């Protein structure tokens, strides 16, 4: 039992002190030997002596006091450490604008004035918690059947909105929501979302085999009808690790919307990689060339551009250069992890891209007649 308790702190302490992701063969053997020695000492000097200590068991009051003391000896350092970590996280977040500019470093004339030793955000322990928030639950004013309301959210609420924007797609639109929110708040837009990960606003037969995707796709028309949007945002292209393509049926969906007088903005898909660049960077270092990827879509024109030239109410938004500047897709831009897994933007990076996103979104709207 003592070995179980001791080996992990010994290993983690070694990794932190040596700034290594894992122990090698020689250091691993040393860690095992040190853990065994400490376990034997802890068993003989602590555990066995406590077992033989009869004083606490002479009455219930003594026993309760010893139990409370033992709990305090464990709880006090844990709480103190948690307090230190919370203060560290707050300090990092308060300095993020200066130390973690993210996509802002790609703007012409940008000059970094932050701490060159500041940690990269999101912190490695926060990477799994980076999916963008969809916002509040489906608002009551939308007349949707109860079985469909799980797909609907109000990402930006407005008491008297200038316009209603409907974001309709999967998680590759969801990860742009942090970039869209500042624009929507500035323009007083209400943003509703109809999002289901892994599903495609294209053709009914193009949906994965899950019942959720079929229900989401079939309910999209009801959502459009009840939301009565002034603008619909869709995903214009789709990627896998080898290519970028237009899904069958998407063009028909876009034409149906624009024929009804609803402007549509299509956001080009983001590259997908064989592994998570951020995880590679955490393990091997941000400058390790194995953690910088590329994709066949990088440097090519948006395949949805011909449709945008044909349809006056449809325009496209291409942000690939924010993810893969200069033709390469690094794991970190502006001291921020770009992706949190192998194909989704981190919430922090999406937020950092908000100024450029907003500028290009406004340009897209100026071409589809929604703005003067």
């Amino acid at each position: 039992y003592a070995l179980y308790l001791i080996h992990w702190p010994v290993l983690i302490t070694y990794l932190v002190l040596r700034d290594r992701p894992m122990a090698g063969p020689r250091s691993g053997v040393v860690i095992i030997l040190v853990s065994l020695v400490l376990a034997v000492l802890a068993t003989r000097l602590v555990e066995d002596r406590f077992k033989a200590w009869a004083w606490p068991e002479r009455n219930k009051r003594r026993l309760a006091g010893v139990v409370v003391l033992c709990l305090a000896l464990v709880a006090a350092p844990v709480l103190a450490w948690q307090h230190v970590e919370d203060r560290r996280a707050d300090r990092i977040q308060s300095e993020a604008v200066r130390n973690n500019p993210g996509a802002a470093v790609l703007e012409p004339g940008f000059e970094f004035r932050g701490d060159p030793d500041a940690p990269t955000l999101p912190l490695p322990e926060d990477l799994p918690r980076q999916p963008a928030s969809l916002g509040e639950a489906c608002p009551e004013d939308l007349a949707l059947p109860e079985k469909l309301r799980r797909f609907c959210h109000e990402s930006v609420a407005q008491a008297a909105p200038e316009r209603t924007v409907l974001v309709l797609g999967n998680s590759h639109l969801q990860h742009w929501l942090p970039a869209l929110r500042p624009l929507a708040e500035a323009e007083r837009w209400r943003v509703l979302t109809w999002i289901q990960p892994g599903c495609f606003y294209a053709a009914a037969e193009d949906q994965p085999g899950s019942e959720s995707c079929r229900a989401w796709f079939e309910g999209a028309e009801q959502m459009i009808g009840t939301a009565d949007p002034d603008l619909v945002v869709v995903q214009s292209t789709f990627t896998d690790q080898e290519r970028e393509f237009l899904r069958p049926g998407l063009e028909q969906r876009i034409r149906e919307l624009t024929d009804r007088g609803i402007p549509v903005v299509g956001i080009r898909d983001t590259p997908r990689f064989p592994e998570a660049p951020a995880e590679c960077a955490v393990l091997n270092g941000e400058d390790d060339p194995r953690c910088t990827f590329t994709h066949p879509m990088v440097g090519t024109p948006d395949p949805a551009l011909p449709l945008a030239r044909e349809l006056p109410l449809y325009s496209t938004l291409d942000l690939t250069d924010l993810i893969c500047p200069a033709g390469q897709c690094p794991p970190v831009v502006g001291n921020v992890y770009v992706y949190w897994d192998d194909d989704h933007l981190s919430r922090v990076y999406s937020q950092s891209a908000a100024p450029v996103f907003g500028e290009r979104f406004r340009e897209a709207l100026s071409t589809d007649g929604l703005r003067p």
Side-chain angles (χ1 to χ4, degrees):
Y1 183 71
L3 180 61
Y4 162 74
L5 291 177
I6 287 171
H7 83 282
W8 189 251
V10 172
L11 172 61
I12 296 303
T13 300
Y14 168 81
L15 297 179
V16 170
L17 293 177
R18 297 300 299 273
D19 192 23
R20 293 183 177 180
M22 63 183 68
R26 286 179 296 181
S27 56
V29 171
V30 173
I31 289 170
I32 292 172
L33 292 175
V34 170
S35 299
L36 286 169
V37 171
L38 292 176
V40 170
L41 293 174
T43 300
R44 292 181 179 179
L45 301 179
V46 180
E47 183 178 354
D48 290 346
R49 293 190 178 187
F50 265 94
K51 286 180 179 178
W53 191 23
W55 181 84
E57 298 181 2
R58 290 177 182 172
N59 59 60
K60 292 182 179 179
R61 183 175 298 176
R62 289 183 181 182
L63 182 60
V66 171
V67 170
V68 170
L69 176 61
C70 291
L71 290 174
L73 290 174
V74 174
V78 169
L79 293 174
W81 179 257
Q82 186 61 53
H83 179 68
V84 170
E85 284 297 298
D86 289 344
R87 290 188 62 182
R88 171 176 171 267
D90 291 342
R91 185 179 70 256
I92 290 172
Q93 291 298 332
S94 66
E95 298 173 352
V97 173
R98 183 173 62 91
N99 292 333
N100 307 89
V105 302
L106 302 176
E107 297 179 21
F110 178 87
E111 185 177 346
F112 181 72
R113 299 181 182 276
D115 179 1
D117 297 322
T120 305
L121 294 181
L123 297 173
E125 60 267 26
D126 294 331
L127 281 170
R129 298 189 291 270
Q130 282 299 299
S133 169
L134 290 171
E136 300 299 322
C138 194
E140 292 299 324
D141 64 308
L142 297 184
L144 289 169
E146 191 61 36
K147 65 179 181 180
L148 294 179
R149 298 185 70 83
R150 60 192 170 114
F151 303 120
C152 160
H153 288 81
E154 187 172 42
S155 296
V156 178
Q158 299 286 359
E162 293 290 327
R163 292 180 172 86
T164 296
V165 177
L166 174 61
V167 179
L168 200 164
N170 58 36
S171 59
H172 276 223
L173 277 184
Q174 180 179 343
H175 65 196
W176 285 116
L177 288 177
L180 173 62
R181 283 193 180 97
L183 171 65
E185 291 167 354
E187 297 282 350
R188 295 197 52 77
W189 294 343
R190 183 192 198 190
V191 178
L192 303 172
T193 59
W194 187 257
I195 298 286
Q196 179 62 19
C199 304
F200 309 109
Y201 186 59
E205 59 273 16
D206 193 34
Q207 304 306 311
S210 69
E211 180 60 35
S212 292
C213 280
R214 287 192 293 271
W216 170 84
F217 179 78
E218 292 169 1
E221 185 58 37
Q222 288 181 265
M223 179 64 178
I224 294 169
T226 190
D228 189 23
D230 301 292
L231 171 69
V232 172
V233 180
V234 299
Q235 181 181 330
S236 62
T237 67
F238 299 85
T239 62
D240 55 29
Q241 293 179 19
E242 290 81 29
R243 61 181 180 139
E244 178 184 25
F245 58 99
L246 300 175
R247 282 195 175 275
L250 176 64
E251 180 178 335
Q252 180 182 345
R253 303 281 86 75
I254 292 172
R255 289 184 183 275
E256 289 172 353
L257 291 169
T258 56
D259 286 347
R260 291 155 61 176
I262 302 174
V264 179
V265 172
I267 299 181
R268 191 179 187 182
D269 200 4
T270 48
R272 300 171 190 258
F273 303 120
E275 62 177 297
E279 182 177 342
C280 176
V282 170
L283 292 175
N284 304 298
E286 297 174 7
D287 296 328
D288 192 310
R290 292 174 295 177
C291 304
T292 295
F293 298 92
T294 189
H295 191 278
M297 71 179 289
V298 177
T300 65
D302 187 341
L305 278 175
L307 185 63
R309 296 189 183 105
E310 177 189 348
L311 300 178
L313 291 182
Y314 175 62
S315 56
T316 61
L317 186 60
D318 184 358
L319 300 153
T320 310
D321 60 314
L322 299 184
I323 302 162
C324 303
Q328 297 291 311
C329 312
V332 174
V333 172
N335 208 25
V336 172
Y337 290 114
V338 180
Y339 281 31
W340 68 270
D341 63 358
D342 59 353
D343 65 320
H344 294 95
L345 298 177
S346 71
R347 186 167 61 248
V348 180
Y349 193 73
S350 182
Q351 290 170 343
S352 76
V356 176
F357 182 96
E359 178 183 347
R360 295 186 188 180
F361 202 99
R362 288 186 175 96
E363 291 175 359
L365 296 184
S366 69
T367 65
D368 64 18
L370 186 61
R371 294 175 65 87

